[in-house]
Amino acid sequence: MDVQNMEHVNNQNFFLGLGRRKRSSARITVLPKPKDSSESTFSCQINGQSFESYFQKDPFSLLKVQAPFKVIQEQDYPFLEVRVNVSGGGLSSQADAIRLALSKALIQMQPNLRQLLRQAGFLTSDARRKERKKYGLKKARKAPQFSKR
């Protein structure tokens, strides 16, 4: 943890969120700051990369991550710096985990956003997981080919 993060820990100026989906897990830190001269209302770093470069091969996942920002963009909120650590799973499940964690962190920051994010469906965790393989089958449900003779 560097010196800048220690200042935020002491001042309690940051908000944390944790999201999971399938095998992926995302930890998010949201730092509200005064708005700079940039057009964007947020900057996002995912595992040290910008979120555009992290999700460049999957534009649908990029839209999933941007969705909570579009909901709060209609409101007047400060510039947000978002740092994400995500691991496990594929890009799609990582994007869902990031979206859930970001929504939880935004609610910590502004509790009145809960209704907006709930209506958009960003606070609902997708509980589906991979089904285990069963004995005598090739996969969870795939059976070997049946031969009558």
Side-chain angles (χ1 to χ4, degrees), residues 52-149:
E52 290 96 354
S53 65
Y54 191 81
F55 288 115
Q56 69 183 0
K57 294 181 181 175
D58 192 5
F60 185 67
S61 295
L62 183 66
L63 292 175
K64 283 184 192 177
V65 173
Q66 288 176 333
F69 291 115
K70 290 183 180 174
V71 169
I72 67 167
Q73 211 166 22
E74 299 163 359
Q75 320 299 317
D76 188 29
Y77 286 102
F79 179 81
L80 301 175
E81 182 182 337
V82 179
R83 295 185 190 140
V84 181
N85 288 331
V86 66
S87 63
L91 284 180
S92 180
S93 64
Q94 284 184 355
D96 283 338
I98 291 170
R99 183 176 70 182
L100 179 61
L102 180 60
S103 299
K104 288 180 179 180
L106 290 173
I107 287 174
Q108 277 188 357
M109 188 176 76
Q110 291 289 332
N112 59 349
L113 284 175
R114 183 176 193 82
Q115 187 66 26
L116 286 172
L117 294 171
R118 173 68 66 190
Q119 286 175 350
F122 299 151
L123 294 178
T124 305
S125 176
D126 193 347
R128 295 177 294 170
R129 303 287 184 260
K130 184 174 178 174
E131 192 174 337
R132 76 171 197 88
K133 182 193 175 301
K134 276 77 170 192
Y135 173 77
L137 301 181
K138 293 186 174 185
K139 292 175 20 179
R141 298 184 183 204
K142 184 177 181 181
Q145 185 174 4
F146 176 74
S147 174
K148 192 178 264 189
R149 291 174 188 82

Side-chain angles (χ1 to χ4, degrees), residues 33-49:
K33 294 185 172 186
K35 186 165 171 125
D36 295 345
S37 61
S38 64
E39 305 104 31
S40 178
T41 59
F42 66 94
S43 71
C44 186
Q45 293 281 329
I46 300 175
N47 292 344
Q49 301 179 35

